[in-house]
Amino acid sequence: MVDLQKTKTAGDPVYINPVYAWYVVSVLLIAYIVSFLDRTILTLLVKPIRASLDISDLQLSLLHGFAFALFYTVLGIPIARIADSRSRVRLISIGIVVWSVMTTVCGFARTFLQMFVARVGVGVGEATLSPAAYSLLSDYFPRDTLTRALSVYQTAIYVGTGLAMIIGGALIAVVPAIDIPLYGRMEPWQVVFLLVGLPGIAVFALMATIREPARTGMLGGPGIATAIPVPEVLRFIARRRQAYAYFIGGVAAKSLAFYGVGAWIPTFFMRTYHWDVATVGLWYGLVSIVFGILGINTGGSFSIWLRSRGRSDANVRVSLIAEAFLIPFGVLAPLMPSGLISMTLFCGFVFFASFSVGCQAAALQEITPNQMRAQVSALYLFLTNLCGI
């Protein structure tokens, strides 16, 4: 049994050339953007999907959240064990193929059950990405720059959501229905799913240019390269429950607010303020991209500044600040008398929702040894996404 009480190191770790390390960030960023595009495009297609499949708002919510989140979160933990002991680059590459293919399969769905199964497949593929990416980046960057790297990577949440709104809104307005041999008529929303699944091919090719880095921060010395058994991981967390439980619990609560609001913003604006789908897609897409990028990078920079002032708990402090400002914007925005004022307040909501995202991921990597980083990250994503998505 590996001694989990302390981490033994054999000198300072040697990190890869920073230029190449930032190239890795850019490739993972693109992969994450595409994954968010594939998972959130459904949000803008609520009306035509409901009409074609003859389903209720509840069933639509199950497709958007439960079908995706169930396997995305549950399978994340066993997949993370692979990431803690084998090639993380190869694992992510396989995941890209799976989620891209299953996004395309969504376009062929003709029943609620078929769409549900396809959404499950998207979740299974995307479960490979973030735990492995967190672990990869912690081996490419030293602690003092890891927060910035993870912040840049996490901007994909907002860029991907924004592009899904903008691209989805534009496509649904211009894409015609088509006839497919042996299948028949495909509605415009189905064609949109086919189109957004295609970029996965390019992302898979980009991942082939990434090399697996040497692992740093190993438990028991640099020679141990196997994943720690799940029971030992859980005991490790239990002994440090004040650090893990409170932090992950707080992030899970924020996740509930962010995903709960974000999933219904387009439909809310269409039903309440009578905006058309293209207008909602453009404005909410731009808000997500602009204020998501501003928030996450401002929060990361603020954390680095606090750390330079001797605050070793900088990442946690930034997370607390984000929570405090997130709540009033999220509560007030949907109560406004006009769509313009409501969307303006949603700018603040997105800014503070993103403010601590990179810091959260970095804090988790800092307190977790290498051989269990992906597993702990998967547990973190399991709890936060199960609450939120």
Side-chain angles (χ1 to χ4, degrees):
M1 180 181 296
V2 176
D3 180 7
L4 300 180
Q5 296 296 329
K6 59 183 179 179
T7 302
K8 299 178 182 179
T9 59
D12 293 332
V14 177
Y15 292 96
I16 292 173
N17 182 291
V19 174
Y20 181 78
W22 280 106
Y23 170 73
V24 173
V25 173
S26 67
V27 173
L28 293 174
L29 171 66
I30 293 170
Y32 205 15
I33 288 173
V34 170
S35 78
F36 253 85
L37 174 64
D38 289 358
R39 82 168 70 169
T40 58
I41 192 69
L42 183 146
T43 302
L44 207 60
L45 304 176
V46 168
K47 186 175 181 179
I49 290 174
R50 281 198 61 195
S52 292
L53 303 185
D54 190 24
I55 58 177
S56 66
D57 277 350
L58 174 59
Q59 289 174 303
L60 206 292
S61 293
L62 292 175
L63 291 177
H64 184 276
F66 185 74
F68 176 86
L70 178 64
F71 284 87
Y72 177 79
T73 55
V74 172
L75 287 183
I77 295 174
I79 287 173
R81 280 192 54 75
I82 300 173
D84 276 333
S85 58
R86 300 185 183 180
S87 172
R88 294 158 288 187
V89 173
R90 188 176 299 116
L91 179 65
I92 293 172
S93 298
I94 293 171
I96 291 168
V97 173
V98 172
W99 88 58
S100 299
V101 169
M102 296 310 292
T103 298
T104 301
V105 171
C106 287
F108 289 95
R110 282 179 165 167
T111 67
F112 170 76
L113 181 59
Q114 291 172 355
M115 178 66 89
F116 188 93
V117 172
R119 288 288 291 174
V120 167
V122 176
V124 170
E126 293 190 13
T128 64
L129 181 55
S130 281
Y134 291 172
S135 180
L136 270 176
L137 294 180
S138 69
D139 288 332
Y140 272 112
F141 290 89
R143 179 173 295 193
D144 59 347
T145 55
L146 178 61
T147 299
R148 188 176 299 281
L150 285 169
S151 293
V152 171
Y153 168 71
Q154 298 277 44
T155 59
I157 297 172
Y158 306 97
V159 176
T161 300
L163 289 178
M165 299 298 105
I166 295 170
I167 294 173
L171 287 178
I172 199 67
V174 299
V175 168
I178 61 175
D179 289 315
I180 300 291
L182 304 179
Y183 178 83
R185 179 183 172 85
M186 296 193 78
E187 298 296 333
W189 69 266
Q190 294 177 297
V191 179
V192 170
F193 273 110
L194 299 186
L195 294 175
V196 299
L198 293 177
I201 299 172
V203 179
F204 177 80
L206 281 174
M207 281 302 300
T209 66
I210 301 301
R211 61 179 183 267
E212 186 76 14
R215 293 180 181 266
T216 61
M218 305 289 283
L219 279 170
I224 298 176
T226 57
I228 305 301
V230 172
E232 293 191 40
V233 173
L234 295 177
R235 283 194 290 270
F236 180 89
I237 293 172
R239 286 196 296 269
R240 296 155 178 81
R241 55 186 172 274
Q242 287 186 315
Y244 284 104
Y246 294 142
F247 184 75
I248 293 176
V251 176
K254 191 188 88 168
S255 178
L256 176 62
F258 174 71
Y259 284 110
V261 171
W264 286 97
I265 283 178
T267 303
F268 167 75
F269 273 84
M270 285 185 271
R271 291 178 179 178
T272 304
Y273 302 117
H274 308 294
W275 288 17
D276 61 65
V277 64
T279 301
V280 176
L282 176 62
W283 281 103
Y284 184 50
L286 289 174
V287 167
S288 296
I289 293 173
V290 173
F291 288 91
I293 291 175
L294 283 174
I296 200 168
N297 286 288
T298 302
S301 298
F302 185 48
S303 174
I304 292 171
W305 180 83
L306 286 176
R307 188 182 293 278
S308 71
R309 296 298 188 274
R311 298 291 188 180
S312 60
D313 60 346
N315 288 321
V316 177
R317 287 175 180 267
V318 170
S319 299
L320 290 171
I321 292 170
E323 294 281 352
F325 284 94
L326 169 71
I327 296 170
F329 283 102
V331 170
L332 292 174
L335 303 178
M336 295 297 103
S338 75
L340 183 60
I341 299 174
S342 179
M343 187 62 76
T344 301
L345 287 178
F346 273 124
C347 293
F349 176 81
V350 172
F351 180 86
F352 286 106
S354 64
F355 194 74
S356 62
V357 171
C359 301
Q360 294 160 193
L364 205 64
Q365 305 309 303
E366 289 174 352
I367 63 174
T368 306
N370 188 293
Q371 297 104 308
M372 60 176 71
R373 281 176 185 160
Q375 291 179 82
V376 171
S377 295
L379 181 63
Y380 160 78
L381 292 170
F382 171 82
L383 294 171
T384 57
N385 286 320
L386 198 61
C387 287
I389 301 178

